[in-house]
Amino acid sequence: MQFNQETYTFTDPGRFGKIMLIVGIIGLLLSAVGIAVDAHQFFASYLVNFTFWATLGIGGLFFVLVHHMTGAVWSVSVRRIGEAAMATLPMVGLLAIPMLLGVNQIFSWTDSAMMHADPILEAKLGYLNVPFFIIRTVVYIGVWILLSILLRRLSLAQDSSWGENAPSRFLRVSGPGTIAFAFTVSFAGFDWIMSLQPLWYSTIFGLWFFSGAAVTIYAFFAITSHALAKKGVLAKEITQEHRHDIAKLLFTFMVFWAYMALSQYLLIWYANMPEETAFFKDRWVGTWTFWSVFYPVAGFVLPFVLMMSRHIKRNRWFLTFWAVYLLLFHWFDLYWNIVPTFHPDNAIFSWMDLTLFVGMGGLMLWRFWAVFTRHPVLPVTDPNLQDSLDFVNQ
Amino acid sequence: MSEQVKVHGALAEFDGPQALMDAAGKMRKAGFSKWDTHSPFPIHGMDDAMGEKRSPLGWFVSAAAFTGFALALYFQYWTSAVDYPLIIAGKTYFSYMAFFPITFALTVLFSVLTTVGGMVVLIKHAFYHPVFYSNNFAKASDDGFFVSVMADDPKFDASATSDFLTSIGGTNVELLQEVEG
């Protein structure tokens, strides 16, 4: 790997991308064996890992949209990392194909006999049917890819010209884009995860799904900025002050996630209506009981108390630790929401959870690295770049 | 009866934020301990230039927050599960989920009161400050940048400190004097 500190470009992207590609292909090939061994388990693991890696691309898009919408200054120096993260969305589209092919294995609402047997479920058939589900998924991912391409193209055009006019051009995409983003992400959460239990519904579920994506992207920033700095890339441009801001936002969205999860729980607990409490009752059997107690403690109590201090947030090793921790917890969060419909008696972890995680992650990181190293890693003509480099927390 | 003049400290004006930053560095190097900078707006990096330590207030507030949290939870437990057990909506006596809103509110209340009270204690009830003896100081809320040194600083000497303030670029150097009749 060779990096030019003057132009902020990679002269040689190094082996990382190739290694990730090979790891990804091996991981997916191993997982493919799983279809033959246990297709039921394969699709459970697939949905968990697909939604996990999708939130990386979604989170990247969220960051770039909000960056332009708010006219943020501090985040100019990490913007290209966010843009490369959202450029993984076409890969998300590719990885969605097996989910769409296995839709009959994953979602119980594809069983028409079951749907017609219950008047409530029968009424939902207009929304929960395979063709419409596929159309919606294509629309969601299509909108995200479109937004990411437009924003990325503007960002690269900025490098060669019109540095000063940048904000208004970005706003023209990011303004309507934010609205489209809010709807598509909410409904992706409803479709991909909530519809696993077709009788159950929670209006806050889309926000819960989004909060996981936000946690993912800030955790990703913390980890990549640390790893890149060790290789001498953006070591002086992403300072302790930027990492402090990343840490604050990571902490914020961890709390936001807890707020969403608690709001969902509290209202259902209070009202105590059978069609709503079913969700939590399903997670209070067998070994799921243990993981349901683990869930709020590991997801909120521990990180809230231990990550609050300014000293922790400003220390790059501690921050990297909490970023990895929260990423792993985000994976578990999806697991806890998805897998009980596949294994209703006890929590079962499978080797396919791991191989699919590595397989999809390899492809996603390969794509990330390919996009990230292709162009300057800083928007060198951005009018706010100097202010971002000089940024200091008060 | 002759007038007694009490000198509380010295005040010097500087040209702008950067001049004030440089002056702060020189004041720190010269070894002053009871001095301060005054500007119409917060200047990023000034705390570091002055060598200020971070305020311990955050630790007091977090201690108060945990106290508020524990007290609120305990009090609700005691009222609804010990002193007067009452079944509400078929839930268990100690329904901590329902207690969260009040627990949260009391955590915030304890934190806020401690922040205000702790601030008052940490600034040693200083509701008045000798810099207000200066007529020139009114500019500090408009376009004036000032360094003040207090007379109880061990390095303070009325004439030597004034000369020093002039030597590091200060203008309108004056002594902060209280006239006692």
Side-chain angles (χ1 to χ4, degrees), chain A residues 32 154 186 351:
Chain A
L154 282 177
S186 295
W351 59 270

Side-chain angles (χ1 to χ4, degrees), chain A residues 209-346:
Chain A
F209 184 62
F210 155 74
S211 67
V215 166
T216 303
I217 191 62
Y218 291 111
F220 187 72
F221 279 147
I223 296 164
T224 41
S225 65
H226 186 175
L228 287 172
K230 286 184 81 176
K231 296 283 182 188
V233 180
L234 294 176
K236 287 195 290 292
E237 288 73 18
I238 299 177
T239 64
Q240 188 186 35
E241 305 294 335
H242 295 108
R243 278 195 298 276
H244 189 193
D245 266 17
I246 292 167
K248 283 186 279 189
L249 283 161
L250 179 59
F251 186 79
T252 306
F253 278 102
M254 181 274 293
V255 175
F256 179 75
W257 165 83
Y259 187 57
M260 293 302 108
L262 177 72
S263 300
Q264 177 176 300
Y265 177 72
L266 203 59
L267 294 193
I268 291 174
W269 176 82
Y270 242 118
N272 212 8
M273 297 197 296
E275 71 267 33
E276 290 181 352
T277 49
F279 179 83
F280 292 104
K281 202 164 182 300
D282 289 348
R283 283 156 184 76
W284 205 252
V285 288
T287 52
W288 284 115
T289 313
F290 167 77
W291 293 112
S292 298
V293 174
F294 171 83
Y295 188 70
V297 174
F300 174 70
V301 178
L302 277 183
F304 181 77
V305 174
L306 296 176
M307 205 190 146
M308 195 187 320
S309 162
R310 176 187 168 93
H311 304 288
I312 304 283
K313 293 201 196 84
R314 287 177 78 90
N315 179 304
R316 66 168 70 193
W317 288 102
F318 279 128
L319 175 58
T320 306
F321 168 79
W322 283 110
V324 172
Y325 176 94
L326 287 174
L327 269 188
L328 290 177
F329 183 80
H330 172 55
W331 186 91
F332 172 75
D333 182 23
L334 293 163
Y335 177 89
W336 186 84
N337 272 276
I338 291 170
V339 179
T341 46
F342 292 88
H343 299 299
D345 299 328
N346 286 299

Side-chain angles (χ1 to χ4, degrees), chain A residues 262 265-266 269-270 272 310 392 394, chain B residues 43-45 54 91 95 97-98 100:
Chain A
L262 177 72
Y265 177 72
L266 203 59
W269 176 82
Y270 242 118
N272 212 8
R310 176 187 168 93
V392 176
Q394 195 62 352
Chain B
I43 300 173
H44 285 262
R54 284 193 66 78
K91 309 276 202 277
S95 296
M97 307 82 160
F100 271 136

